[in-house]
């Protein structure tokens, strides 16, 4: 249904924006930026991604479903039985919604990993095509018309979500020029720190703090401010 497609689209946005802390496993070949486009390259590699998205989708659907059906059950229960009615509704309906989310997330990730293996690329087109295929497959029991409509809805929603995530990632990612300038500035600060250290101008806690500034792990107040504070 369109509601299921909207919810699953929110799931895909969540799994792409919140996966930046995923650990990089040793021995796994990571794709370059040219192979991943603007997608987050720190996600779990396939096929581990399928299991991760299954669990994450079920957890998000179960928690969201519990809150939704708890409120709905409380509103539909008679006075004096609102809490018990809310708990009954949430306890019985939340796992069902979590299972629906898990089915969508697992199917989507399976298509995503399959397309990544076939195309040897992990870009936005994989996600858009996976949304299209997932929407059609999960609605196949309703006939080809229903499956076609849900496939189009899934593909369009994923295209919108991937476009928004690409814009956000580009706005948060530094350009090569900015990265090169930052690296040159850190190298210059490290050289100045080494010269002052060899000359005996810094010592103790001041030495440690200026070392952190030069390595970029502490806020820098500028080379002129640092030199004036040491003289």
């Amino acid at each position: 249904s369109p509601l299921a497609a909207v919810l699953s689209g929110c799931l895909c946005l969540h799994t792409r924006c919140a996966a930046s802390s995923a650990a990089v496993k040793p021995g796994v070949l990571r794709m370059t930026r040219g192979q991943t486009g603007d997608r987050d390259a720190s996600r779990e590699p396939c096929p581990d991604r399928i299991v991760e998205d299954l669990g994450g989708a079920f957890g998000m659907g179960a928690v969201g479903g519990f809150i939704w059906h708890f409120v709905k059950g409380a509103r539909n229960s008679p006075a004096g039985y609102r809490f018990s009615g809310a708990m009954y509704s949430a306890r019985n309906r939340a796992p069902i919604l979590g299972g629906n989310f898990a089915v969508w997330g697992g199917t989507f990730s399976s298509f995503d990993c399959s397309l990544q293996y076939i195309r040897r690329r992990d870009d936005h087109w994989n996600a858009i095509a996976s949304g299209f295929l997932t929407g059609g497959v999960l609605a196949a029991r309703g006939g080809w018309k229903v499956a076609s409509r849900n496939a189009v809805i899934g593909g369009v929603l994923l295209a919108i979500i991937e476009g928004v995530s690409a814009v956000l990632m580009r706005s948060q990612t530094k350009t090569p020029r900015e990265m090169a300038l930052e690296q040159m500035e850190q190298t210059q600060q490290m050289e100045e720190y080494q010269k002052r250290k060899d000359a005996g101008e810094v010592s103790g806690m001041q030495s440690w703090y200026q070392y952190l500034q030069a390595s970029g792990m502490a806020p820098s107040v500028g080379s002129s401010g640092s030199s004036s504070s040491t003289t």
Side-chain angles (χ1 to χ4, degrees):
S1 63
L3 178 60
V6 172
L7 294 176
S8 56
C10 297
L11 162 66
C12 297
L13 178 61
H14 169 78
T15 54
R16 277 156 179 77
C17 293
S20 58
S21 59
V24 179
K25 294 189 175 181
V28 176
L29 179 62
R30 310 302 297 181
M31 292 188 176
T32 62
R33 182 174 177 83
Q35 294 173 305
T36 59
D38 294 315
R39 299 185 75 183
D40 191 355
S42 62
R43 298 180 64 204
E44 281 289 332
C46 292
D48 296 344
R49 184 183 303 178
I50 301 175
V51 180
E52 181 190 28
D53 287 352
L54 268 172
F58 179 83
M60 187 173 63
V63 172
F66 185 90
I67 298 173
W68 172 264
H69 288 291
F70 184 88
V71 175
K72 185 177 180 180
R75 294 183 59 184
N76 296 332
S77 299
Y81 298 92
R82 294 191 184 278
F83 182 77
S84 58
M87 288 298 298
Y88 179 83
S89 177
R91 186 172 59 250
N92 287 284
R93 300 298 300 177
I96 298 176
L97 186 60
N100 293 336
F101 268 67
V103 169
W104 209 100
T107 306
F108 176 87
S109 296
S110 299
F111 279 123
D112 194 13
C113 290
S114 300
L115 292 173
Q116 178 182 335
Y117 178 79
I118 295 173
R119 300 181 63 236
R120 300 295 181 181
R121 294 178 63 87
D122 186 16
D123 54 13
H124 299 294
W125 292 109
N126 287 353
I128 296 172
S130 299
F132 179 87
L133 294 173
T134 302
V137 167
L138 295 184
R141 295 178 60 184
W144 69 271
K145 291 184 178 180
V146 178
S148 301
R149 183 174 63 251
N150 281 271
V152 172
I153 292 174
V156 171
L157 285 177
L158 262 298
I160 296 174
I161 292 171
E162 289 294 322
V164 173
S165 63
V167 172
L168 292 176
M169 184 167 293
R170 285 186 179 181
S171 63
Q172 297 173 358
T173 303
K174 296 181 179 179
T175 62
R177 177 180 174 82
E178 292 174 345
M179 295 175 63
L181 291 175
E182 183 177 354
Q183 184 67 28
M184 291 173 59
E185 183 180 357
Q186 290 183 1
T187 303
Q188 183 180 3
Q189 291 179 355
M190 185 64 71
E191 292 176 354
E192 293 178 359
Y193 163 78
Q194 192 64 37
K195 291 179 181 179
R196 290 195 298 269
K197 183 179 179 181
D198 295 341
E201 298 178 359
V202 292
S203 60
M205 291 298 298
Q206 185 182 16
S207 175
W208 278 104
Y209 184 72
Q210 292 191 0
Y211 174 79
L212 293 177
Q213 283 184 334
S215 58
M217 291 183 289
S220 177
V221 295
S223 57
S224 59
S226 301
S227 60
S228 61
S229 62
T230 57
T231 55

